[in-house]
Amino acid sequence: MSADWSQLLASAEYLGELYDGVPPSTDAYDLFYVHIDEREDSVTLGFDTRAFPVNLPFHLFFTGVTGLRVTGWGASEVKAIDLTAHDGGHFDVALGSEASGITFRAAAARLTRTRAYLAWGNS
């Protein structure tokens, strides 16, 4: 995941308040949900992490999606996430690789849902 991804999550409008502005490293997140909605030109991505303070699955909702391209999806694509934030507020998102994955550009992104719970785990 890119440095832009960490900056996005550290901002107060996303996860900054839960982690005092310093979210876990990007490799601490697991992508568990992808929803593409052509009616709203949107993509929702759901993530999970076992990093303190809580095991916090969350969803990022991207709107104004253009250039959506799906070339494949599988377990290896889930681990390769790249998000680039541009001046003017739009984002380029790549899940997986150029050969197999999902890419799109979004006009905006927002945190839409969080779910916190305590779970037993090895992490």
Side-chain angles (χ1 to χ4, degrees):
M1 291 188 211
S2 66
D4 287 342
W5 184 256
S6 295
Q7 291 171 1
L8 175 72
L9 295 180
S11 72
E13 65 188 291
Y14 297 100
L15 300 180
E17 291 182 21
L18 295 174
Y19 292 103
D20 257 347
V22 184
S25 66
T26 53
D27 61 350
Y29 296 100
D30 293 318
L31 178 65
F32 71 88
Y33 178 86
V34 175
H35 177 82
I36 300 169
D37 187 344
E38 71 282 356
R39 297 166 298 164
E40 297 183 25
D41 296 330
S42 66
V43 174
T44 304
L45 304 178
F47 296 90
D48 190 8
T49 182
R50 290 194 177 273
F52 184 80
V54 293
N55 185 2
L56 182 69
F58 63 94
H59 292 78
L60 290 176
F61 182 68
F62 295 90
T63 57
V65 170
T66 59
L68 176 67
R69 182 172 174 233
V70 180
T71 56
W73 192 248
S76 62
E77 286 80 3
V78 170
K79 291 294 185 183
I81 301 166
D82 186 34
L83 181 140
T84 304
H86 296 281
D87 291 338
H90 69 275
F91 302 90
D92 287 325
V93 180
L95 311 171
S97 68
E98 202 172 297
S100 179
I102 299 171
T103 59
F104 61 90
R105 175 170 278 192
R110 70 178 191 272
L111 183 68
T112 58
R113 186 176 3 167
T114 59
R115 184 184 66 202
Y117 57 91
L118 294 174
W120 182 260
N122 295 330
S123 302

